[in-house]
Amino acid sequence: MTVYNYKAPFELECGITLQGIDIAYTTYGQLNPDKSNVVWVCHALTANSDAADWWNGVVGSGHVIDPGKHFIICANNLGSCYGTTGPLTINKYTNQPLFSQFPTITIKDMVAVHELLREHLGIEQIHTAIGGSQGAQQVIEWNIEQP
């Protein structure tokens, strides 16, 4: 797992601004020269960026989404407890977890964080975006926001 530290302010759909965010993500495979083999996996509510672990049979060597053919990216959702900024993030003023002080977030906010990571990684186009449950909601929203 890798963490991208986005240091600029990030405005949530609710109007609250986070002063920077951490985006934890996992990649598998290699980006091909023309960058046409990107598969972005959006995870469900209780999953994490290790898509090959929780979606065995779909993601992994010899499966439909194969790191031998694809450059696979899965980022932990904004608000998750797996390394991306969320309720367990330490408040820099109190040195305690944010817990219930963490603001309400939306699927649109999660997608905006994915978009920040996409830009950071220099990915211009995603060949396939896939997800189940809450991950599918993110894919739909992302297609609305970035057709």
Side-chain angles (χ1 to χ4, degrees), residues 17-144:
T17 300
L18 299 174
Q19 298 305 312
I21 51 177
D22 290 337
I23 307 169
Y25 65 98
T26 301
T27 62
Y28 311 88
Q30 298 293 320
L31 191 59
N32 64 12
D34 66 356
K35 299 181 179 182
S36 64
N37 66 334
V38 176
V39 175
W40 201 292
V41 178
C42 296
H43 72 69
L45 179 64
T46 58
N48 58 48
S49 68
D50 188 3
D53 179 54
W54 57 262
W55 217 355
N56 187 18
V58 175
V59 178
S61 183
H63 299 303
V64 175
I65 303 173
D66 188 332
K69 300 174 187 172
H70 305 104
F71 180 61
I72 305 160
I73 304 166
C74 186
N76 287 320
N77 294 333
L78 179 66
S80 79
C81 57
Y82 298 108
T84 295
T85 298
L88 296 180
T89 299
I90 302 298
N91 180 321
K92 65 182 177 181
Y93 301 109
T94 65
N95 207 30
Q96 298 294 317
L98 291 168
F99 292 135
S100 63
Q101 294 174 347
F102 189 74
T104 300
I105 57 169
T106 64
I107 297 295
K108 190 172 187 173
D109 295 326
M110 292 176 190
V111 168
V113 169
H114 293 331
E115 193 55 23
L116 291 175
L117 180 59
R118 181 197 62 76
E119 291 172 3
H120 168 71
L121 295 173
I123 304 297
E124 295 177 22
Q125 188 169 10
I126 297 169
H127 180 274
T128 303
I130 187 170
S133 189
Q134 181 180 289
Q137 293 174 9
Q138 293 170 61
V139 171
I140 292 167
E141 180 67 30
W142 208 347
N143 276 281
I144 292 167

